[in-house]
Amino acid sequence: SQELEQSPQSLIVQEGKNLTINCTSSKTLYGLYWYKQKYGEGLIFLMMLQKGGEEKSHEKITAKLDEKKQQSSLHITASQPSHAGIYLCGADRGSQGNLIFGKGTKLSVKP
Amino acid sequence: DGGITQSPKYLFRKEGQNVTLSCEQNLNHDAMYWYRQDPGQGLRLIYYSQIVNDFQKGDIAEGYSVSREKKESFPLTVTSAQKNPTAFYLCASSPGLIYNEQFFGPGTRLTVL
């Protein structure tokens, strides 16, 4: 069965610093989703990637899917306290038609 | 505003009691999902439904039941057969099952005493 491995599990950065979160799949990714979650709340959709080599950006967050479609990265430029939260990657399971999720990366941003 | 609502936000039950968690969406989405989130475990799929009156088991369906009598509603019942029911439960919906962004509700934190 497919598994998603996220790294690091947690991250503490100083405000203004850049950071990268990785999501690695044991199988080819057909659709890769990035979500953000504040503790005790629902998930907020960030971006979806489908094609090998695809890159999308929204404000200071950039997500990439590698050419082999087995790894994705989420990069935050000049981090701010508002970026703090848990970042989760999710992947389409193909014919089953639902998502499998990684365990999440907890991000803390120190002012 | 369109979205997904879950109620209540916090729920407390005694061990051995069944409890039903509500999930309603007004996005006109066909597909709906229930996930369970435990600390350090990520999200795990309990049940999902593609259309009204149809639903499938996810990865951890034992001890749970669902119904989909209306397109906008997908309630989850946590039965007494669920051995570790204390968790954060998230409901989601999407236009379809494949290559579709899932929209999530705010979650219900269930504590069984």
Side-chain angles (χ1 to χ4, degrees):
Chain A
S1 62
Q2 184 176 20
E3 292 185 354
L4 292 179
E5 192 79 26
Q6 281 190 241
S7 62
Q9 286 185 317
S10 65
L11 195 52
I12 303 173
V13 300
Q14 198 70 38
E15 182 177 358
K17 295 295 186 183
N18 302 339
L19 63 106
T20 299
I21 297 169
N22 294 302
C23 177
T24 302
S25 172
S26 56
K27 295 184 179 181
T28 299
L29 293 163
Y30 293 99
L32 189 286
Y33 304 75
W34 282 102
Y35 286 87
K36 179 185 175 184
Q37 182 184 31
K38 293 284 190 182
Y39 180 76
E41 298 180 9
L43 277 64
I44 304 298
F45 173 76
L46 296 174
M47 278 170 276
M48 177 197 168
L49 304 165
Q50 277 181 255
K51 300 175 184 177
E54 187 174 9
E55 180 176 320
K56 288 186 178 178
S57 293
H58 177 67
E59 298 180 342
K60 294 185 178 181
I61 301 176
T62 300
K64 299 178 186 179
L65 182 61
D66 74 338
E67 290 289 345
K68 293 183 179 180
K69 296 173 62 176
Q70 283 195 273
Q71 186 167 6
S72 178
S73 61
L74 187 80
H75 184 78
I76 298 177
T77 304
S79 58
Q80 301 169 354
S82 60
H83 288 127
I86 300 171
Y87 289 82
L88 295 109
C89 62
D92 272 311
R93 293 207 242 194
S95 60
Q96 289 188 43
N98 52 66
L99 299 183
I100 183 171
F101 283 89
K103 293 184 178 181
T105 295
K106 183 180 178 181
L107 172 64
S108 301
V109 180
K110 289 185 174 181
Chain B
D1 286 358
I4 302 177
T5 57
Q6 290 185 244
S7 61
K9 180 73 173 173
Y10 300 95
L11 193 53
F12 296 88
R13 280 294 182 270
K14 291 184 179 179
E15 193 173 342
Q17 290 181 333
N18 291 356
V19 60
T20 298
L21 280 59
S22 167
C23 178
E24 304 276 332
Q25 55 100 358
N26 60 3
L27 300 166
N28 199 34
H29 285 170
D30 286 320
M32 296 187 75
Y33 314 81
W34 273 106
Y35 293 92
R36 169 181 172 141
Q37 187 176 31
D38 296 281
Q41 290 288 326
L43 273 68
R44 292 182 290 171
L45 183 67
I46 305 173
Y47 268 99
Y48 63 101
S49 168
Q50 186 175 1
I51 56 173
V52 175
N53 293 322
D54 185 51
F55 47 83
Q56 285 78 41
K57 293 182 179 180
D59 300 313
I60 55 165
E62 186 175 350
Y64 299 97
S65 65
V66 293
S67 63
R68 187 88 188 273
E69 297 177 2
K70 298 185 296 182
K71 187 175 185 178
E72 57 270 22
S73 179
F74 191 40
L76 173 75
T77 297
V78 184
T79 75
S80 56
Q82 169 49 234
K83 295 180 180 177
N84 294 299
T86 294
F88 188 53
Y89 290 88
L90 287 158
C91 179
S93 71
S94 67
L97 281 185
I98 300 177
Y99 298 144
N100 281 298
E101 168 196 345
Q102 290 187 16
F103 293 78
F104 283 79
T108 292
R109 185 165 297 279
L110 172 65
T111 302
V112 176
L113 306 171

